[in-house]
Amino acid sequence: RVHGGIIFFTQKMLFVRVLFAIFFLVFCVDSKIITIFGRQYNTSNTTSLLLSHSLLNGTFPSEIGELSLLTIADLSNNQISGFLPTEIGLLTSLTQIDLSNNKIFGQLPTEIGNLYLLNNLYFSGNIFLSSIPSELGKLTSLSSLYLSDNRLTGSLPNNLSSLTSLTSLHLNNNHFTGNIPIEFSSLTQLSYLWLSDNQLSGTIPSEIGKLKSLVLLYLHDNQLIGTIPSQLSQLKKLFFLWLSNNNLFGSIPTEFGNFITLLDMNLSENNHLEGVIPSEFGQLITLASLNFSKTNLSGIIPSEITSLGSLTIFDIDNTELQLSTDESESALCNLITSCYNTLISPSQCSKCSSLPDITPISNLRIFFFFAFVFFVIIVAMLCGYCFVRKSGRNFETFKKL
């Protein structure tokens, strides 16, 4: 019995030693303290790096690749410069990375394609100069992709269409060229498609009409040509449609009267856009802003426009559009609540002419008026305070008598 007890005790101690060895290997041998932007982190337990708005500067440290357990990295809104190190691809546990609004330049590392768990990637507001690496198409878990306000070049990769979980795609304010890929029509979860302020050419793919979840479509300030596809009217959840400052031609599709949620439509600065405003626009009961300025539209403005109770901005500057009668002008004048940048000048609408002139001088007068009122209130309060104190002293004197 004693011998058996000794064997059992020995086996138990051996088991404890094995557990201790495993613990030591996992938590001690692999543990390392590294310094990132003057702060120390343990490689064995650091899961988040939250340094947004921390006045960081200098180059991006390659040591960040040693934080293998990192799930969230937020270094946005700092002054970080230099290249983005390829070691960023070692952070295979990352679900969110935000490096927006820094001064990081150079190429986007192809190693980003290794971050298979990534949900959100925010690189806006830097100085990235390369094209989008095709490896980005491997990030099939990606929900938000923000690469706006950089200097990215080249064409839009077709394989971004494999990011079927994507809800926000922001590529605006870059130097992208070429066509909008037809393959983007597979991004059926997409809510925000922001491709404005680039040098994109070709036509607007009619397949965009398949993006049934889209609420914002910004394609303005490009070099797009061709007619406006009527299939865009199939976007029943769309709130914002901006196609301005392109080279679009032809007429406005009558099907655009089928938008049931649209708030803002801007087709301005398409010099070859011609024809009339479809009367079907009278069905856009949610519309707040409508801009046709600097187009070649002509003819009579449909009387149905006056039924748009939500319309506050209606701009037809530099067009050949006309109101049919004085009654239509009066109705439109009563409808529009903001006369700034609308088709009706203050001299044409009594309501507009009664509004104060919104100029810097007028704003200065308003400022001095409220400053004067504030000064009067302060003086009145001080006088009241002095009066109360004086009255209190007189009352104390009366009691003593």
Side-chain angles (χ1 to χ4, degrees):
R1 289 182 181 178
V2 173
H3 180 69
I6 293 173
I7 293 174
F8 176 77
F9 178 77
T10 304
Q11 290 175 340
K12 189 174 181 180
M13 289 300 296
L14 181 61
F15 178 72
V16 171
R17 288 179 181 179
V18 170
L19 285 180
F20 180 78
I22 293 174
F23 176 83
F24 179 79
L25 287 173
V26 173
F27 294 101
C28 297
V29 173
D30 290 341
S31 180
K32 180 181 177 181
I33 303 299
I34 62 173
T35 301
I36 297 178
F37 292 113
R39 296 165 173 81
Q40 292 187 333
Y41 298 94
N42 192 319
T43 59
S44 66
N45 59 20
T46 299
T47 58
S48 62
L49 203 61
L50 306 177
L51 298 174
S52 177
H53 295 89
S54 298
L55 302 177
L56 305 180
N57 53 43
T59 58
F60 209 99
S62 59
E63 289 81 3
I64 194 172
E66 299 184 45
L67 299 177
S68 58
L69 301 180
L70 201 63
T71 59
I72 298 176
D74 185 357
L75 293 87
S76 60
N77 297 284
N78 286 292
Q79 298 292 318
I80 302 172
S81 58
F83 295 98
L84 188 62
T86 57
E87 287 81 1
I88 202 78
L90 299 175
L91 305 177
T92 53
S93 298
L94 267 185
T95 60
Q96 176 172 316
I97 180 169
D98 190 350
L99 305 179
S100 56
N101 299 317
N102 279 287
K103 296 180 179 180
I104 305 171
F105 55 82
Q107 295 185 343
L108 290 171
T110 58
E111 287 78 6
I112 290 178
N114 299 332
L115 309 180
Y116 298 111
L117 300 179
L118 204 59
N119 297 133
N120 302 299
L121 189 154
Y122 304 109
F123 283 0
S124 298
N126 283 285
I127 320 174
F128 288 113
L129 303 172
S130 65
S131 58
I132 297 178
S134 60
E135 287 79 4
L136 213 60
K138 300 177 182 178
L139 306 181
T140 53
S141 297
L142 207 60
S143 175
S144 300
L145 176 57
Y146 284 65
L147 297 176
S148 57
D149 298 293
N150 279 285
R151 299 178 188 175
L152 295 170
T153 59
S155 58
L156 303 178
N158 294 341
N159 65 348
L160 288 183
S161 60
S162 62
L163 307 180
T164 53
S165 298
L166 208 61
T167 60
S168 297
L169 179 58
H170 291 237
L171 304 177
N172 52 296
N173 286 295
N174 280 289
H175 302 298
F176 291 119
T177 56
N179 298 339
I180 299 173
I182 295 175
E183 291 81 0
F184 278 13
S185 61
S186 63
L187 303 176
T188 54
Q189 302 299 315
L190 202 62
S191 296
Y192 302 91
L193 180 56
W194 207 318
L195 304 179
S196 59
D197 293 282
N198 281 290
Q199 300 166 26
L200 298 175
S201 56
T203 59
I204 299 174
S206 59
E207 288 80 3
I208 289 181
K210 298 179 181 179
L211 304 179
K212 305 299 185 182
S213 299
L214 212 59
V215 298
L216 182 148
L217 178 58
Y218 278 177
L219 304 179
H220 57 278
D221 293 283
N222 278 291
Q223 300 171 15
L224 299 172
I225 61 172
T227 58
I228 301 174
S230 60
Q231 290 84 349
L232 295 184
S233 63
Q234 299 171 12
L235 304 174
K236 301 302 183 183
K237 297 181 180 181
L238 197 65
F239 288 163
F240 303 95
L241 175 61
W242 279 43
L243 307 178
S244 56
N245 198 19
N246 280 290
N247 298 310
L248 302 174
F249 54 79
S251 58
I252 301 172
T254 57
E255 292 85 353
F256 274 20
N258 297 330
F259 287 119
I260 58 177
T261 58
L262 198 65
L263 299 175
D264 188 354
M265 180 189 296
N266 191 341
L267 305 180
S268 65
E269 299 186 70
N270 285 288
N271 297 329
H272 301 291
L273 195 63
E274 57 188 7
V276 298
I277 299 176
S279 60
E280 288 80 1
F281 271 49
Q283 303 170 24
L284 304 177
I285 58 175
T286 59
L287 199 62
S289 178
L290 187 57
N291 193 339
F292 294 138
S293 64
K294 298 181 181 179
T295 62
N296 201 30
L297 294 177
S298 60
I300 302 300
I301 297 172
S303 58
E304 289 84 357
I305 294 291
T306 61
S307 67
L308 301 178
S310 299
L311 190 64
T312 58
I313 295 179
F314 184 28
D315 192 346
I316 60 168
D317 186 34
N318 288 311
T319 68
E320 298 298 324
L321 291 166
Q322 298 176 356
L323 293 163
S324 58
T325 62
D326 292 339
E327 287 77 14
S328 297
E329 181 177 313
S330 176
L332 202 55
C333 175
N334 292 329
L335 174 68
I336 295 173
T337 58
S338 172
C339 294
Y340 176 70
N341 206 27
T342 66
L343 87 161
I344 299 180
S345 66
S347 61
Q348 292 174 302
C349 178
S350 58
K351 181 169 64 173
C352 292
S353 61
S354 64
L355 292 174
D357 182 26
I358 306 301
T359 63
I361 294 177
S362 178
N363 290 336
L364 194 60
R365 290 173 179 172
I366 293 173
F367 170 78
F368 280 120
F369 171 77
F370 282 107
F372 175 75
V373 171
F374 180 77
F375 174 77
V376 170
I377 293 173
I378 294 298
V379 171
M381 291 176 64
L382 288 174
C383 291
Y385 175 75
C386 293
F387 176 79
V388 169
R389 289 198 61 185
K390 185 176 181 181
S391 299
R393 285 196 298 269
N394 291 340
F395 180 72
E396 292 295 331
T397 304
F398 176 78
K399 283 200 305 182
K400 289 179 181 180
L401 292 174

